[in-house]
Amino acid sequence: MRAIEVFDLNKNFKVGKEEIEVLKNINFSVEKGEFLSIMGPSGCGKSTLLYLLGGLDKPTSGVVSINGRDLSSLSEKQKSIMKRREIGFVFQFYNLVPNLTVEDNILLPIILDGKPLKKYEEKLKKILDTIEMSHKRKVTPRELSGGQQQRVAIARALVFEPDIILADEPIGNLDSKTGTDIMKLFQNINKNLSKTIIQVTHSEEAAYYGTSILRLKDGEIQTKEGVAS
């Protein structure tokens, strides 16, 4: 079963009177449980593609289908619910709320969705164990290292148990050792929790933690290749 399918996807941006083609005729699919790394030089359209996959931006033309549903056929409300419940987002800048504790940052999507927090107590405990942050649940982000903040951001992405996690340069702000730890955590989440993960990365080393690599250049797909396990 395919988690994501992309058909003839194009994205243009207007700069003054000029129209710039950022993505050109993109076609590929992502199987459920796949861990795809999107790579390519700066300005090739990697992050733009990720935002289109997550419904954070709209294509100029073409189709993005999530779990068999064309994003363009959904109302804004339906899309908003899908983004909260079926897709987890992890960004280079952790986007944590500075005055909330670790556990409140993780539970933020539940709070925003109006769900009763008591039902998520056991899940919160499991997620804190997964990211190895149980001992930090009551502290605020300013008391955490960059790697710890990114772990909290990953936990927040997991709390609704989404099928898909989208990560934009998730280790871009981290030193190499911490980056390796975060990539191992993603690999663990992919293998042990059966999550479909798509990351944008500049790092060849980080890309090989996945199960496949899609290489972009000048807005076009060059190759999509499997990674030997």
Side-chain angles (χ1 to χ4, degrees), residues 20-37:
I20 309 290
E21 289 183 301
V22 179
L23 294 171
K24 308 164 197 171
N25 298 318
I26 301 290
N27 289 276
F28 70 98
S29 60
V30 181
E31 301 297 321
K32 282 189 182 292
E34 190 173 339
F35 183 169
L36 175 69
S37 300

Side-chain angles (χ1 to χ4, degrees), residues 157-169:
L158 286 171
V159 73
F160 256 127
E161 296 187 342
D163 295 328
I164 299 164
I165 295 172
L166 304 180
D168 189 14
E169 296 282 4

Side-chain angles (χ1 to χ4, degrees), residues 64-132:
V64 175
S65 176
I66 304 285
N67 293 326
R69 285 176 292 169
D70 177 355
L71 286 184
S72 67
S73 71
L74 303 179
S75 68
E76 286 306 313
K77 185 177 180 183
Q78 288 172 320
K79 206 186 292 185
S80 179
I81 291 169
M82 174 187 267
K83 283 186 283 192
R84 276 206 307 275
R85 299 181 184 175
E86 297 180 43
I87 304 170
F89 295 94
V90 179
F91 299 99
Q92 180 176 351
F93 301 99
Y94 323 117
N95 294 347
L96 302 179
V97 181
N99 59 335
L100 292 183
T101 63
V102 162
E103 62 181 27
D104 286 342
N105 266 289
I106 293 170
L107 290 169
L108 199 55
I110 307 297
I111 295 165
L112 293 173
D113 210 53
K115 295 265 195 275
L117 294 181
K118 281 202 166 183
K119 287 188 177 178
Y120 287 84
E121 282 174 7
E122 191 58 35
K123 188 180 292 181
L124 175 65
K125 186 175 178 297
K126 284 181 182 173
I127 288 172
L128 284 163
D129 286 343
T130 298
I131 65 165
E132 299 174 354

